[in-house]
Amino acid sequence: MIFDQIAVLDLAAVAWFVTIIAAYEFISTRPAIHARSIAAYVQNHRHGWMIEMSRRDNRIVDGQLLGWLVNANAFFASTSVIVIGGLAALLSYGEQARQIVEALPYAAASTATLWEIKVIFLMMIMIYAFFKFAWAFRLSHYTVMMMGATPPHDDRDAAARLDHAKRTAELLGLVGWHANLGLRSFYYTIAGLMWFFHPLAFIVAATWVVLILIRRDFFSHSRAILKGPDPQP
């Protein structure tokens, strides 16, 4: 049995990792809580951007900005593939790679089975990141088409132009949402690396990563800037 070769503390560390991340993802997406997050405030600015874009005669700068977003998602998708390839190569070296890693200071000794599980665990996270960035890249192309199809600024049907701008902003929001999930996966991979040192280090790192995400999403200075001043009574 595979589980016979895995210590209880290792199983507890993985369970904690999955639980704390699933809890954060679930709680942070509740409407009342999400409305106070940096992601919600960024989406408000996306709406403002697309509305202003629809009113402009010259939209070259808007296209350039969106092109930068497309390239950024392509870069991270490619980076994910490189990391996956590196982990696959590490897995193929087997015992030799395990001995090299375990020779590092404070690295914990593992059975061959547990070593492979740790590497595959990281690969699964990065595969998830790849799919998120790849989908964000595809959605970026859809957004480019939506932007290109925006009616002229002097179109008589202003209501239709405004509705089109809002739908473009919603699609752009999906791009940001999936790209953000991909970026979070990089954070989770860093926590997963600590498993090679000790299960307790893995638990601490997973908790630390989630606390960083909570701070950046709900208590950061950048969030306060994006939110803007509170309305005067």
Side-chain angles (χ1 to χ4, degrees), residues 6-233:
I6 304 176
V8 174
L9 189 56
D10 288 295
L11 292 175
V14 175
W16 174 254
F17 176 86
V18 173
T19 300
I20 192 172
I21 289 176
Y24 172 70
E25 296 289 351
F26 176 79
I27 295 173
S28 64
T29 54
R30 297 307 89 195
I33 296 177
H34 178 72
R36 299 194 296 271
S37 69
I38 191 172
Y41 298 135
V42 169
Q43 183 60 18
N44 291 338
H45 287 286
R46 289 193 187 102
H47 273 275
W49 175 22
M50 290 297 102
I51 291 173
E52 289 301 317
M53 178 275 300
S54 69
R55 294 171 179 168
R56 282 195 278 266
D57 180 24
N58 188 331
R59 299 166 181 169
I60 294 177
V61 174
D62 302 294
Q64 291 175 335
L65 291 173
L66 191 55
W68 180 85
L69 293 176
V70 173
N71 293 333
N73 289 325
F75 168 78
F76 281 111
S78 300
T79 302
S80 301
V81 172
I82 293 173
V83 175
I84 292 169
L87 290 171
L90 187 65
L91 191 63
S92 67
Y93 277 96
E95 184 67 20
Q96 182 181 357
R98 182 167 69 91
Q99 292 176 355
I100 293 174
V101 173
E102 290 180 357
L104 296 173
Y106 308 109
S110 303
T111 63
T113 300
L114 183 57
W115 160 262
E116 292 176 355
I117 290 174
K118 290 177 181 180
V119 177
I120 293 173
F121 177 77
L122 295 181
M123 290 179 65
M124 290 174 62
I125 298 176
M126 293 311 301
I127 289 172
Y128 174 82
F130 167 76
F131 276 105
K132 285 300 177 182
F133 284 122
W135 184 233
F137 177 74
R138 189 62 178 170
L139 289 174
S140 299
H141 283 269
Y142 299 154
T143 307
V144 169
M145 290 184 287
M146 289 284 287
M147 181 179 289
T150 304
H153 73 288
D154 55 355
D155 190 271
R156 293 183 178 180
D157 194 348
R161 175 168 50 81
L162 181 61
D163 177 71
H164 185 90
K166 289 180 178 179
R167 287 187 289 114
T168 304
E170 290 297 324
L171 190 58
L172 186 56
L174 289 177
V175 174
W177 176 254
H178 287 281
N180 187 41
L181 291 176
L183 284 173
R184 286 181 183 179
S185 299
F186 278 73
Y187 284 81
Y188 300 151
T189 301
I190 293 174
L193 286 173
M194 294 299 102
W195 194 10
F196 287 96
F197 292 91
H198 197 278
L200 290 177
F202 184 22
I203 292 174
V204 172
T207 306
W208 176 67
V209 164
V210 171
L211 289 175
I212 288 177
L213 292 175
I214 291 173
R215 181 190 176 279
R216 292 186 175 180
D217 286 345
F218 297 97
F219 303 101
S220 64
H221 183 56
S222 56
R223 170 192 173 275
I225 293 173
L226 289 166
K227 177 186 177 183
D230 293 325
Q232 297 296 324

